[in-house]
Amino acid sequence: MSLKERIDQVEQRITEACARSGRERNDVNIIAVTKYVSLDMTASVLDQGLQHIGENRWQDAEAKWNALGNRGIWHFIGHLQTNKVRDVIDKFQYIHSLDRISLARELEKRAAALNLQVSAFMQVNISGEESKYGLPPEKAAEFLKEINSLSHVKVTGLMTMAPYESSAEQTRPVFRGLRQLRDELNEQALTAEPLTELSMGMSNDFEVAIEEGATWVRLGSILVGKEED
């Protein structure tokens, strides 16, 4: 199947998931996760009109960003080590993995020095898996209060990763839990502006995530394939 055919198929499935849940198609944004594919394939993704590129590690993204960084909107979606903030701060418009105070402070320091504002998603470990990064849900409100004074880091929403399940339906409680947490946090008015975004859903479960309110889905293998390990 060609890249265009895969994109068309994914588009159809997103449209149908939106229709099932009474949402508009333009409520949902696609992030093409290119961590396992070449620079050429990443360029092809942009050529096909997808604007949002997701990478997990700067080491893997560097060559692609140097060649293509001025073409797309780049999302850092992997665990971000504090000592790597300097590499990504002025290259990735969105950070999807804000999960600790030390990282928030480093983002603030680096962004302030460059006079930038970072759009970040607070990563929450809804499933409670020990192998997953993210704040426990019960710590989310406290975390937002602690970083409320940071003027160069704007939390726009929440991110989570669901366990890989043989049936995508089994992931629904995780995605529903993130949406409910976002709504609860908004009721407490802990941020200057309401949290609007939900980054959740991957190749195996994105339709369920959309039905539960995802505004960003992170799609790798189903969209761009997998060329390299």
Side-chain angles (χ1 to χ4, degrees):
M1 191 181 295
S2 70
L3 174 60
K4 184 180 186 308
E5 287 170 332
R6 288 198 297 269
I7 292 171
D8 288 345
Q9 189 177 83
V10 164
E11 276 290 339
Q12 181 64 29
R13 291 173 64 179
I14 290 175
T15 299
E16 291 172 357
C18 287
R20 285 194 298 272
S21 50
R23 303 181 66 199
E24 298 292 331
R25 168 62 189 90
N26 60 10
D27 290 344
V28 181
N29 301 282
I30 297 172
I31 300 169
V33 179
T34 53
K35 64 176 180 174
Y36 289 123
V37 299
S38 65
L39 191 159
D40 285 346
M41 175 58 81
T42 305
S44 296
V45 168
L46 292 164
D47 290 342
Q48 288 292 331
L50 293 179
Q51 297 182 345
H52 298 278
I53 301 295
E55 287 282 340
N56 282 50
R57 298 182 348 142
W58 174 240
Q59 299 96 302
D60 299 328
E62 185 173 7
K64 299 172 198 173
W65 190 91
N66 286 337
L68 304 168
N70 63 337
R71 291 187 57 191
I73 298 169
W74 292 67
H75 298 247
F76 195 90
I77 60 175
H79 179 68
L80 182 55
Q81 295 175 311
T82 306
N83 64 359
K84 296 294 183 183
V85 168
R86 64 180 181 272
D87 295 322
V88 306
I89 188 69
D90 58 343
K91 301 174 182 70
F92 289 78
Q93 288 92 327
Y94 293 89
I95 305 293
H96 287 244
S97 47
L98 178 57
D99 62 354
R100 58 200 188 281
I101 296 297
S102 60
L103 177 58
R105 288 176 178 155
E106 184 67 14
L107 287 168
E108 173 70 17
K109 183 179 82 172
R110 297 284 178 177
L114 295 168
N115 196 27
L116 298 173
Q117 186 174 69
V118 179
S119 293
F121 293 77
M122 179 171 62
Q123 184 171 357
V124 184
N125 186 357
I126 295 289
S127 68
E129 286 183 286
E130 290 186 8
S131 61
K132 295 278 195 297
Y133 290 107
L135 289 151
E138 62 272 16
K139 297 287 188 182
E142 178 185 342
F143 182 81
L144 286 177
K145 290 175 185 175
E146 283 198 59
I147 67 170
N148 193 40
S149 63
L150 303 183
S151 57
H152 294 82
V153 178
K154 180 181 180 181
V155 179
T156 62
L158 309 182
M159 183 272 243
T160 200
M161 296 177 66
Y164 184 90
E165 302 283 4
S166 55
S167 168
E169 184 60 33
Q170 293 176 270
T171 64
R172 190 176 297 277
V174 173
F175 300 136
R176 183 171 293 167
L178 192 72
R179 173 170 52 82
Q180 291 172 339
L181 177 62
R182 181 200 61 186
D183 295 347
E184 290 166 8
L185 294 171
N186 281 337
E187 287 176 6
Q188 297 177 57
L190 300 172
T191 49
E193 299 174 22
L195 304 171
T196 57
E197 307 301 317
L198 293 174
S199 171
M200 60 187 193
M202 299 168 70
S203 291
N204 187 56
D205 52 27
F206 68 95
E207 289 153 301
V208 175
I210 290 168
E211 290 169 5
E212 290 299 331
T215 61
W216 298 89
V217 290
R218 311 181 301 271
L219 303 182
S221 57
I222 197 172
L223 191 68
V224 301
K226 184 174 177 180
E227 297 174 332
E228 305 166 347
D229 287 314

